[in-house]
Amino acid sequence: MHLANAAAHKINNPLAVVVGQLHFLAKDPAVPPARVAAIQDAAERIREIVQQMLRVTRLELVEPRPHVPQMLDLDRSTKRDDSVVR
């Protein structure tokens, strides 16, 4: 759980820079709005994953598969917040 928190923190710092730079990019008339929107969507998805990583309460692994290393199942390992609609 500490590892997930550390990774989330390390990801969140450069993500903040990316999002900040994206705001400047969005103001550039030479950049197509669809491109900015695609980047914003991806950044938001990363932000959601980082927030989920901060809610890891137990270690649940994904089902084993050939040629895939054993890893954390983030959905099953996080505490659900029923007040948040997904």
Side-chain angles (χ1 to χ4, degrees), residues 60-73:
E60 298 281 344
L61 302 178
V62 296
E63 295 297 322
R65 291 177 282 180
H67 310 293
V68 176
Q70 195 172 38
M71 68 179 113
L72 184 70
D73 183 323

Side-chain angles (χ1 to χ4, degrees), residues 30-62:
V31 178
R35 178 174 278 175
V36 172
I39 298 168
Q40 285 174 325
D41 289 347
E44 178 60 23
R45 178 68 182 121
I46 294 168
R47 189 196 65 74
E48 290 169 0
I49 292 167
V50 166
Q51 291 303 309
Q52 188 177 15
M53 290 171 70
L54 293 171
R55 294 191 310 267
V56 170
T57 58
R58 61 189 174 281
L59 300 177
E60 298 281 344
L61 302 178
V62 296

